């Protein structure tokens, strides 16, 4: 499973301390904005967004990752570990955030939903594939994300049976919107001069598979990984051979490596957002991010 080996440190509180904190309950530090509502602990932005759409106002959705933070770097506070354990549902993607994986495994095993468990996953890039390693960026395929929305609606229907029809209805509405987004991408990327998308890190495998593109990642799944000089030289040659005009950087990670490749290859850079998070005070949401990505891809790939 994808663990971001040397970069991510999962400093969770010792089990004995965690047990003591859980035992004292909410009185040890009340949640800031729960308002007494049942809580969905969502690991990072796209899951928090989806949970808000499907759960509606009856739940408080707690995003464990602060706005503007790179989700792969998350280290949970003791309070957040308690919140995961006390939540009605812990909603996450296994393999993105080892700290969340550990908190769920230890404190929320019976009330969690791993989005990866309800869709067909893609393997991690070949250079990172361990035993059963999967690419976790499934939300970048709207059709897979629609499947997750349906599964979330069903899970909430079991959590709050008297309102089951409401959650299923909200999930169906989200699915309709995601299917419309998928149609926009299929139309917009149907006739393109180029198929290769050269990205700062390998976050766009699901998007590439869905729309007939080929992802070429400068780094692997770890956005902070430093490719070797040999890798940069190989990619420079590939960019030139394919006629690619653009190397894509991202919003929450350093553009340095991708910019180096672009300079070596004599091409430009553009931002392609993996929708892993939004900046503080941003008015973006999942749909606006995805549509902006489509608008960025079309000229870069020479789409008619």
């Amino acid at each position: 499973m994808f663990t971001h080996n040397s970069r991510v440190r999962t400093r969770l509180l010792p089990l004995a301390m965690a047990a003591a904190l859980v035992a004292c309950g909410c009185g040890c530090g009340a949640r800031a904005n729960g308002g007494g509502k049942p809580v969905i602990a969502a690991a990072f932005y796209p899951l928090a967004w989806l949970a808000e759409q499907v759960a509606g106002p009856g739940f408080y959705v707690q995003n464990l990752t602060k706005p503007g933070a790179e989700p792969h770097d998350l280290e949970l506070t003791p309070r957040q570990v308690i919140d995961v354990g006390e939540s009605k549902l812990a909603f996450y993607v296994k393999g993105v955030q080892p700290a969340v994986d550990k908190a769920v495994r230890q404190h929320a095993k019976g009330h969690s939903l791993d989005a990866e468990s309800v869709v067909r996953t893609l393997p991690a890039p070949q250079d990172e594939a361990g035993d059963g390693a999967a690419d976790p960026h499934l939300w970048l395929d709207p059709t897979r994300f629609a499947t997750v929305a349906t599964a979330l609606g069903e899970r909430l229907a079991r959590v709050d049976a008297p309102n089951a029809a409401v959650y299923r209805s909200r999930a169906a509405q989200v699915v309709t919107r995601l299917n419309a987004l998928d149609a926009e991408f299929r139309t917009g990327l149907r006739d393109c001069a180029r198929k290769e998308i050269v990205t700062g890190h390998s976050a766009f495998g699901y998007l590439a598979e869905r729309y007939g593109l080929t992802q070429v990642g400068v780094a692997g799944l770890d956005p902070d990984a430093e490719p070797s000089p040999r890798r940069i030289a190989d990619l420079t040659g590939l960019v030139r051979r394919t006629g690619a005009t653009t190397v894509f950087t991202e919003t929450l990670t350093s553009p340095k490596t991708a910019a180096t490749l672009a300079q070596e290859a004599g091409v430009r850079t553009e931002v392609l957002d993996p929708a892993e998070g939004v900046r503080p005070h941003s008015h973006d949401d999942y749909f606006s991010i995805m549509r902006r990505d489509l608008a960025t891809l079309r000229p870069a790939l020479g789409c008619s």
Side-chain angles (χ1 to χ4, degrees):
M1 182 54 63
F2 177 44
T3 59
H4 301 295
N5 297 327
S6 61
R7 186 171 61 89
V8 176
R9 302 181 303 279
T10 57
R11 294 197 297 265
L12 293 176
L13 72 168
L15 279 174
M17 181 180 177
L21 283 168
V22 170
C24 80
C26 295
C28 294
R31 190 176 294 105
N33 296 306
K37 297 178 180 180
V39 173
I40 298 173
F44 56 103
Y45 173 73
L47 301 184
W49 174 85
L50 184 61
E52 289 172 348
Q53 305 304 304
V54 177
F59 281 82
Y60 171 63
V61 177
Q62 180 185 8
N63 188 346
L64 297 173
T65 305
K66 293 180 180 179
E70 219 294 324
H72 299 286
D73 293 330
L74 179 67
E75 295 179 8
L76 295 178
T77 67
R79 176 69 254 180
Q80 287 178 308
V81 175
I82 294 171
D83 289 343
V84 169
E86 294 179 345
S87 66
K88 283 293 185 181
L89 184 68
F91 187 31
Y92 72 118
V93 179
K94 188 176 179 181
V96 175
Q97 298 161 301
V100 175
D101 293 352
K102 185 174 182 181
V104 169
R105 186 169 63 250
Q106 293 180 344
H107 303 295
K109 207 168 185 179
H111 58 272
S112 62
L113 175 60
D114 172 14
E116 191 179 87
S117 70
V118 301
V119 299
R120 180 181 63 83
T121 59
L122 297 177
Q126 188 173 1
D127 59 345
E128 297 193 22
D131 294 334
D135 180 347
H137 300 87
L138 55 91
W139 60 91
L140 291 173
D141 172 2
T143 63
R144 281 181 170 89
F145 210 30
T147 299
V148 176
T150 299
L152 179 59
E154 289 300 318
R155 178 59 66 88
L156 293 177
R158 295 201 297 272
V159 169
D160 181 16
N163 293 303
V166 175
Y167 303 122
R168 289 177 176 133
S169 175
R170 289 198 189 106
Q173 292 172 31
V174 176
V175 168
T176 296
R177 295 178 66 197
L178 287 168
N179 286 340
L181 179 67
D182 173 59
E184 291 177 36
F185 268 82
R186 282 188 286 110
T187 300
L189 299 176
R190 181 175 296 147
D191 298 310
C192 301
R194 294 171 292 279
K195 295 295 185 181
E196 293 81 13
I197 52 172
V198 185
T199 61
H201 93 281
S202 301
F204 297 91
Y206 288 96
L207 186 146
E209 186 212 42
R210 177 64 183 166
Y211 304 112
L213 306 176
T214 300
Q215 174 181 239
V216 180
V218 178
L221 291 175
D222 182 346
D224 289 338
E226 292 288 340
S228 67
R230 174 62 182 271
R231 174 68 173 161
I232 291 290
D234 290 345
L235 288 171
T236 299
L238 177 64
V239 169
R240 289 171 176 163
R241 287 194 303 275
T242 61
T245 63
T246 309
V247 174
F248 295 105
T249 64
E250 295 181 16
T251 49
L252 301 180
T253 59
S254 170
K256 180 179 177 182
T257 301
T260 298
L261 172 60
Q263 184 175 13
E264 290 290 325
V267 299
R268 65 177 181 267
T269 60
E270 294 284 354
V271 174
L272 197 63
D273 193 336
E276 293 178 346
V278 295
R279 296 188 183 280
H281 313 300
S282 171
H283 296 294
D284 271 328
D285 70 358
Y286 173 82
F287 283 108
S288 66
I289 292 170
M290 292 293 286
R291 289 190 171 104
R292 187 164 59 244
D293 282 348
L294 176 58
T296 301
L297 284 167
R298 281 178 46 77
L301 297 179
C303 303
S304 59

